[in-house]
Every structure is written in C-alpha cells, then in structure tokens.
Amino acid sequence: MLLSPFEQFELRLFLPISFNEVNISISNTTVSMGLVVGTFWLLYYLAIQKNPELVPRAWQVVLEFVYETLFSIVKDNTGGKKGLIYFPFLFTLFSFIFLCNVLGMMPYSFTVTSHICITFGLAFSVCLALVVIGLMTHKLKFFSSFLPKGSPLALAPLLIGIELLSYVSHAFSLSIRLFANMMAGHALLKILAGFIWIMGSVGGLFYLASLIPLSIVFALTFLEIGIAMLQAYVFTVLSAIYIKDTLYLH
C-alpha cells in the first residue's frame, strides 16, 4: 500500500525502535527483587489460601501479628485515622525491605539493600510521595513549611535554604543508613565464611581452629536477622513520621 509522504513521516516518528537494537539484560538485582515479590506472595497465599480461618494456622498467626504490629506503629506515627490511608504503602515497604534483607543472607544470594542505588531509589520514592501528599493535602500552602512562622523576612532565603536542605537530607539519611548496615553486616559474614572455608581446607589443627570463627558466624547470623528487621522497622517508622509531618505541616 502506498502512503503519502506525511503518513510515512508519522510512521517513522512513532514506530518503536527495532528489537535488534534493544538490549534487555537481567541482573542479580532483578532476579533478587523478583524472588522477594514471589516470596511475599507465597507467604500470604500460605497464610490465607482461600479464606482466613477462625482458628488460625501457623502462617496466619505470624502474618496477623506482623499486620497488627505495623498497624499500631503506623497509627501512632502518622497521627491517627488521617494517616491510616497510607498503611498499605508502609506495610508493603516494610515487607519488601525486610525480605530483601533476610533473603540476602542465604548462601549464593544477592543482598539488594546493600547497594546504595536501590536504597536511594526507595528513599527518593518516599520523599517524592511526600511532596505529592503535601500538594494534594495543602495545595500551595505546603511550601510554607519551608519558612517557620514568625521568621524575619531578611532571614527568609537562609531559612528556606536550611529547611530545603533538611528536607532533601531525608532521602540520603534513609538510604545511607539502610545501605551501610546491610553492606557491613553481610560483608562481615561472607568474609568470615570464606575464612572458615580456607582454614577447613588446610586440615589438621586449622580444621579444629575453624570452629571458633564458625561459632562467631552463627552468633552474627542471629544478630544480622535482628538488624535486618530493625532496619526495615526504622525505615518504615521514619517514613511514617515524615508522612505525619507532611499531613500536619510540622
């Protein structure tokens, strides 16, 4: 079929790039986050399957406990009913970070939250959501939070700059805290595990001596599980507090 020059131009302008030119790669991060999402879905499938039971099963008890605990945390830190509409977001955020932290401790796994680009992406998304929430709730009055009430007009540029810097620092503080804790703890475990493997392969007295770092690894593993939960909790609680400050312009 013959096309006019204008129609040919439209096709050239809007047709997608040839598939031969598209380079699609699957990284460790993609696979790990896919496993996290799949694990999240599987846990809830095992918990409720068809319908929740009056006498709950083991998985249902665990997830109901997590749900109720996070619900009370979000309610206390977002200012009551007004902030509860953001509970699904915060619950998903906690679950995703916690599962990323824990699954990264499995052998031959990849710790997504030990990379600053991932944690910064999560923190930046939270801060971007805060701006959207602030504008939807308070319209242009939201920007008045960057200038404390009763401040001298002469100091306005300095105070606005300080408040803006403080606001932007939320993303950096959230991301660096999570990234540093996960990278340091998991790196220490992998270094000690490698050291145990080398001592065990030498044999003799070194094989017996490897039991000392092995016991340390076991102790650190339980500590890392606690840190994984704590970091997910801290990230979620701080996000809830930031939402409260945005809703009430504190």
Side-chain angles (χ1 to χ4, degrees):
M1 180 178 64
L2 296 177
L3 300 175
S4 66
F6 180 73
E7 289 173 328
Q8 293 175 7
F9 173 75
E10 283 189 317
L11 287 175
R12 288 196 301 267
L13 183 64
F14 294 106
L15 279 177
I17 300 174
S18 172
F19 288 106
N20 295 328
E21 300 177 9
V22 178
N23 184 18
I24 300 176
S25 60
I26 300 177
S27 63
N28 291 334
T29 303
T30 307
V31 174
S32 298
M33 288 194 291
L35 288 174
V36 167
V37 174
T39 304
F40 182 80
W41 177 87
L42 180 62
L43 289 175
Y44 278 88
Y45 177 78
L46 293 174
I48 58 177
Q49 290 185 2
K50 295 182 180 179
N51 293 306
E53 297 181 0
L54 184 62
V55 179
R57 295 181 296 271
W59 281 112
Q60 187 177 337
V61 170
V62 172
L63 291 179
E64 283 182 358
F65 172 76
V66 174
Y67 183 93
E68 291 174 1
T69 303
L70 284 176
F71 185 85
S72 62
I73 290 172
V74 172
K75 184 177 180 180
D76 294 339
N77 290 281
T78 56
K81 295 182 179 179
K82 192 175 180 180
L84 284 180
I85 61 174
Y86 305 104
F87 170 73
F89 166 72
L90 294 171
F91 181 79
T92 305
L93 185 66
F94 173 84
S95 302
F96 178 79
I97 294 175
F98 176 68
L99 289 174
C100 284
N101 295 345
V102 172
L103 291 180
M105 298 179 62
M106 297 176 61
Y108 305 104
S109 62
F110 180 79
T111 309
V112 176
T113 48
S114 66
H115 286 245
I116 187 65
C117 59
I118 301 298
T119 58
F120 182 78
L122 289 172
F124 179 77
S125 300
V126 171
C127 292
L128 185 61
L130 294 177
V131 175
V132 174
I133 292 170
L135 291 175
M136 290 177 61
T137 306
H138 306 286
K139 302 299 188 288
L140 294 179
K141 187 182 177 182
F142 167 70
F143 296 105
S144 65
S145 61
F146 294 102
L147 182 63
K149 185 178 294 186
S151 302
L153 189 60
L155 295 177
L158 178 62
L159 294 175
I160 292 175
I162 294 174
E163 290 293 329
L164 186 60
L165 182 62
S166 175
Y167 192 85
V168 173
S169 68
H170 292 342
F172 290 96
S173 64
L174 286 174
S175 59
I176 293 175
R177 181 186 296 105
L178 178 59
F179 147 75
N181 280 278
M182 289 300 101
M183 184 189 68
H186 286 53
L188 179 60
L189 285 177
K190 290 178 181 179
I191 290 171
L192 288 175
F195 185 60
I196 294 169
W197 178 264
I198 293 173
M199 292 181 66
S201 62
V202 173
L205 293 176
F206 287 98
Y207 183 81
L208 295 176
S210 65
L211 296 176
I212 298 175
L214 181 61
S215 61
I216 297 175
V217 167
F218 273 110
L220 287 178
T221 299
F222 289 104
L223 179 63
E224 275 298 300
I225 293 174
I227 292 175
M229 182 177 293
L230 178 62
Q231 290 305 313
Y233 168 81
V234 170
F235 198 103
T236 306
V237 168
L238 289 178
S239 299
I241 293 173
Y242 296 153
I243 289 175
K244 178 183 178 181
D245 291 343
T246 302
L247 291 174
Y248 299 98
L249 291 183
H250 286 174

